[in-house]
Amino acid sequence: IWNQVLDRLKMRLNPTAFETWLASATVQTFQDNCLVIQVENPFILNHLQKTYYSLIVEEVETIVGYSISVKLTTSQEQNWKIVDKDEYNYSSNKLNNKTDKQSPKLSQLNPHYNFSRFVVGPTNRMAHAASLAVAESPGREFNPLFLCGGVGLGKTHLMQAIAHYRLELYPNANVFYVSTEQFTNDLITSIRQDSMEHFREHYRTADILLVDDIQFIEGKEYTQEEFFHTFNTLHEAGKQVVIASDRPPKRIPSLQDRLVSRFSMGLIADIQVPDLETRMAILQKKAEYENIVLPRDVIEYIATNYTSNIRELEGALIRAVTYISISGLSMTVENIAPVLNPPMEQISVSPDVIIKIIAENFNVSIEDLKGSSRRREISLARQIGMYLMRQHTDLSLPRIGEEFGGKDHTTVLYSCDKISKLQKKDWDLSQQLSELSDRINIASRNQE
Ligand code: ADP
Ligand code: MG
């Protein structure tokens, strides 16, 4: 019976939800009109009871054809809990309550940051399950949910996955994802424009408020003050708050005690560095989405060399793939090794090579690069050229200025700074830079 029930549930639920909550559920006993289902741990048990109980009962009764009592239990607990299905007013048809209206809120989210692209492993299992639980029943289980973990380990991805999933279930939900920086900026703007009412109204109508990188609230007294009130209003109204930080609340310097205690009253779920197997699974999944075929030893090689940050892991994969496609070599460990672990004795790169590659890539003339035109395309190309020259050679700022037709060293410094900041925000630019870097390396190697 249970397998049939599972099959039906599988069809009704989102695959990630099914995997997380139900795939491991088994029948413990079935006698006297009472079906006892066993799940892995109390955490799953709790969520199933709160969110899926009536759905499960419904499917069980459909299969057996008569009314039956269903109990959920976990092996980690001695006594099973008896759940009265009337306690739970969850109505399953809400799941199908989609409308065609595209939410404007979606535009602020990275479409790739959803649950189906998120690879679950031992070091993020808890954070993932908690995020999913929050998306399904906001304000009910963990409020706030505090996600904490080092840079590039998936906090932003999970937060946005919560937002996507909630909006998928309820397209009209007020789901707000903001960085702490944006929250602060909104606050400052509304103070300046004397529109605090507007600000408060906006943030306090959220059904789910997700605030990313809260560690940046450090030292901002006024933002802390306002966030405290926003938090309380939402929390008291039973609305969900999700916060991400690179460290636990207690370790954020000069965070007001009252915020530390608010942040700690729900669940603090931490994400640790993924193990090798998970890293390989992440690369594999990424490659599949990008339609790239990768030999297993290449995956293993990259995963072995990039251990502590998933963004860098993905970056390495992209560099390898880009290099292979530019160079026309085949995808082997031997061929990608040089771009992944640049040898210490860097090949010497001549400034001319860089200028030539920049000119070709941006379709501007070398004279223009060395000239003084301020046309946007030209000056951007020039700035990128200076930045790359700084990266690839030991030339001093004044010497780089000379290579670009006698520019002042402050101009060079300004350009390098600007590009370096831009590329942190602009994914396309950073892709483009790494592609240009690869070309420069290839051209220089061929010259030697
Ligand atoms: P953080 O916010 O913790 O610094 P991000 O959420 O920005 O990290 O993640 C960095 C990159 O790694 C993103 O491209 C994200 O999609 C990817 N990533 C992180 N964790 C996973 C995971 N478990 N599965 C797949 N991709 C992941
Ligand atoms: Mg982040």
Side-chain angles (χ1 to χ4, degrees), residues 360-402:
E360 278 169 12
N361 185 72
F362 290 95
N363 203 14
V364 297
S365 71
I366 292 181
E367 293 70 46
D368 277 340
L369 284 177
K370 299 194 175 192
S372 56
S373 163
R374 291 178 173 274
R375 256 182 43 220
R376 251 186 88 225
E377 312 87 82
I378 296 176
S379 85
L380 182 65
R382 194 185 289 132
Q383 287 169 340
I384 291 178
M386 290 177 175
Y387 171 86
L388 288 170
M389 205 174 280
R390 182 95 176 134
Q391 299 268 304
H392 284 268
T393 68
D394 320 317
L395 298 183
S396 63
L397 295 172
R399 284 276 293 107
I400 293 176
E402 276 168 39

Side-chain angles (χ1 to χ4, degrees), residues 209-354:
L209 176 63
L210 305 120
V211 184
D212 207 346
D213 290 320
I214 199 78
Q215 72 273 8
F216 294 133
I217 206 169
E218 170 194 348
K220 298 183 178 124
E221 285 304 315
Y222 196 75
T223 308
Q224 293 195 15
E225 175 81 29
E226 191 57 37
F227 188 65
F228 178 73
H229 295 301
T230 307
F231 182 96
N232 286 343
T233 310
L234 291 173
H235 196 264
E236 276 157 24
K239 307 298 183 173
Q240 180 70 46
V241 180
V242 183
I243 299 162
S245 165
D246 68 353
R247 65 199 88 161
K250 269 192 255 144
R251 294 199 25 238
I252 302 176
S254 77
L255 181 65
Q256 297 171 4
D257 286 344
R258 54 186 190 166
L259 280 176
V260 175
S261 79
R262 290 297 183 286
F263 292 174
S264 313
M265 63 201 253
L267 177 74
I268 299 185
D270 74 343
I271 308 180
Q272 302 283 334
V273 170
D275 58 3
L276 178 65
E277 215 178 304
T278 310
R279 297 198 301 276
M280 289 176 63
I282 290 172
L283 291 175
Q284 184 63 52
K285 185 160 222 165
K286 176 107 183 146
E288 276 163 22
Y289 272 107
E290 313 268 332
N291 277 323
I292 303 162
V293 181
L294 286 181
R296 194 181 157 78
D297 59 336
V298 166
I299 293 187
E300 192 164 342
Y301 180 79
I302 300 176
T304 309
N305 281 283
Y306 291 81
T307 56
S308 59
N309 177 327
I310 298 172
R311 185 173 297 114
E312 284 173 6
L313 180 73
E314 292 182 337
L317 172 65
I318 291 165
R319 274 220 305 291
V321 170
T322 312
Y323 176 71
I324 291 304
S325 73
I326 297 175
S327 64
L329 297 168
S330 57
M331 183 57 97
T332 62
V333 168
E334 206 179 23
N335 287 339
I336 60 166
V339 278
L340 295 190
N341 306 317
M344 284 318 285
E345 0 57 285
Q346 282 266 353
I347 13 150
S348 65
V349 173
S350 93
D352 290 345
V353 167
I354 297 178

Side-chain angles (χ1 to χ4, degrees), residues 110 112-121 123-124 128 147-160 177 212-213 215 244-246 271 274 278 281-283 285-286 309-315 427:
N110 181 330
H112 293 168
Y113 289 177
N114 54 37
F115 280 122
S116 45
R117 282 187 182 235
F118 192 85
V119 175
V120 183
T123 61
N124 61 23
H128 170 264
L147 296 172
C148 112
V151 178
L153 295 185
K155 302 181 295 294
T156 300
H157 188 134
L158 277 180
M159 291 192 115
Q160 298 203 4
Y177 168 86
D212 207 346
D213 290 320
Q215 72 273 8
S245 165
D246 68 353
I271 308 180
T278 310
I282 290 172
L283 291 175
K285 185 160 222 165
K286 176 107 183 146
N309 177 327
I310 298 172
R311 185 173 297 114
E312 284 173 6
L313 180 73
E314 292 182 337
W427 171 247

